[in-house]
Amino acid sequence: PADGGGGGSGGNGKDAGGSGGSGNDVAVSDADGDGADGSSSRAGGEARQRCESAVELLGSVLPWPEHAHAMPLSLCWAVWAVVEKPPAAGLPPALLHKSKDGRIWLIKLWGHVISLLGGWLAHPPQREKLNQLLQLPTGAFVAKEGELPAYEARALMFVMWRRLVAAWVPLMDDPANAPGDAEKRLRLLVMPLRDLWKKEEAGGLMRPPPDSARLGAAHLEAARGWCELTRSLARHALCPGGELVWQVAVRSMAAHWHPELRCTFLACVDSFFRQHPKLTGLWLCRAQGRRTLSELLSASLSSEAQTRFRLAARAG
């Protein structure tokens, strides 16, 4: 896949797969909602509400991602048939379309679908289907509201991305893996984090921006996603092939301007090292491990000093 993010939604087909069959209603309602008539606007709002309710109901009956690998192939194909079905003539399937409008219910729906199909889509024969389904996160990770960032949608996309993590981590030790399969999956799982932190590092992570509250919430969910990935990987995160997990995190999260994010990150690292003392010792025997820990401590201490300096300056 070109990238590990995916798109924000799906064109105008707002209910393609939301509850397995009400897509046509929503497609029509979207068109009506654009008119000047007040009743059609209400109809569009009611359609969106029905769609949101259907997605919530779907989430309450689905299996947890770590158990979805046991789904029979026939059911996987049946779910995919719903996902790839256009909501109406001329409209693309909502979950297979890159868009940056960040519809919350559609991102939730993507999370439900990836919970069911994630393990199935991890295998090479389904690679094209996986690439299609990754279109939605590609847009959602950079979703906008008009010209402004849609931070709520971005944060939710990081939450839903954890479902792909939960579906794929059990496959790290799959005997059927071909050489390099586990590394390729890990590279895709960390890609949204890598892209996010690379962009933020370019803009500076040490000083809070004007919209720091909403941006901080989105970044915090990204940090929690990294923690979930690291905990799930367990020993794999401390093996040579797991260096990628640390490369995307150390400077960015340890030096972040958001205090809660830094605390979340450092608490996760501390807990992880304590849970795996022998592997941590072996990790620190390697030059890359020592370098990573040194960068983590240096970035964290520097950020704390900067924070205290700013607080002292305001108090003065």
Side-chain angles (χ1 to χ4, degrees):
D3 66 26
S9 51
N12 294 324
K14 288 199 173 185
D15 198 25
S19 57
S22 58
N24 291 337
D25 292 339
V26 179
V28 172
S29 297
D30 280 351
D32 290 344
D34 292 335
D37 187 275
S39 61
S40 44
S41 295
R42 287 194 298 274
E46 291 170 358
R48 284 189 290 274
Q49 187 174 6
R50 288 197 303 273
C51 191
E52 291 167 1
S53 299
V55 171
E56 293 298 328
L57 177 61
L58 182 63
S60 69
V61 299
L62 291 180
W64 291 103
E66 57 266 28
H67 301 305
H69 66 278
M71 282 181 57
L73 287 177
S74 58
L75 186 53
C76 291
W77 281 106
V79 173
W80 181 258
V82 175
V83 170
E84 68 176 353
K85 183 179 180 180
L91 295 177
L95 290 176
L96 308 182
H97 179 71
K98 180 180 177 181
S99 176
K100 297 181 180 179
D101 62 11
R103 281 171 281 180
I104 296 299
W105 69 265
L106 195 57
I107 295 172
K108 289 182 179 179
L109 177 59
W110 184 92
H112 297 330
V113 170
I114 208 65
S115 294
L116 292 172
L117 301 184
W120 179 61
L121 294 173
H123 300 292
Q126 314 306 336
R127 183 169 298 157
E128 181 56 34
K129 295 180 180 62
L130 174 64
N131 288 342
Q132 293 179 58
L133 198 57
L134 290 176
Q135 288 295 308
L136 189 145
T138 300
F141 280 123
V142 292
K144 291 188 174 182
E145 298 170 349
E147 296 299 318
L148 299 175
Y151 291 124
E152 182 182 1
R154 296 183 185 188
L156 180 62
M157 191 64 248
F158 277 108
V159 174
M160 294 297 107
W161 191 255
R162 294 178 216 165
R163 300 191 177 196
L164 182 59
V165 171
W168 276 17
V169 166
L171 300 174
M172 295 292 288
D173 295 314
D174 190 341
N177 282 345
D181 278 356
E183 183 178 348
K184 289 177 183 177
R185 291 174 189 144
L186 179 58
R187 193 171 296 277
L188 188 145
L189 289 176
V190 303
M191 195 171 290
L193 294 167
R194 185 203 66 185
D195 293 346
L196 170 69
W197 299 130
K198 184 185 296 184
K199 179 180 177 181
E200 294 301 328
E201 280 183 350
L205 283 161
M206 301 291 287
R207 189 173 297 276
D211 52 354
S212 59
R214 298 177 68 219
L215 176 61
H219 283 188
L220 184 57
E221 290 301 340
R224 288 170 177 159
W226 181 89
C227 293
E228 181 67 24
L229 174 61
T230 306
R231 283 192 294 265
S232 300
L233 288 172
R235 63 182 179 83
H236 294 287
L238 293 169
C239 293
E243 294 295 343
L244 185 63
V245 176
W246 301 94
Q247 291 171 6
V248 303
V250 170
R251 289 185 300 275
S252 304
M253 287 189 272
H256 202 279
W257 50 264
H258 196 302
E260 185 179 356
L261 188 152
R262 294 199 304 273
C263 289
T264 297
F265 169 66
L266 293 174
C268 172
V269 172
D270 176 65
S271 174
F272 185 73
F273 286 164
R274 291 176 185 273
Q275 289 175 8
H276 305 281
K278 292 183 179 179
L279 288 174
T280 300
L282 294 173
W283 182 70
L284 290 173
C285 287
R286 300 198 302 271
Q288 182 61 46
R290 294 193 299 274
R291 189 179 307 115
T292 298
L293 182 60
S294 175
E295 290 179 358
L296 186 157
L297 294 173
S298 175
S300 177
L301 292 172
S302 175
S303 183
E304 288 299 326
Q306 293 254 356
T307 300
R308 290 176 180 275
F309 177 79
R310 286 197 298 270
L311 292 174
R314 290 176 188 170

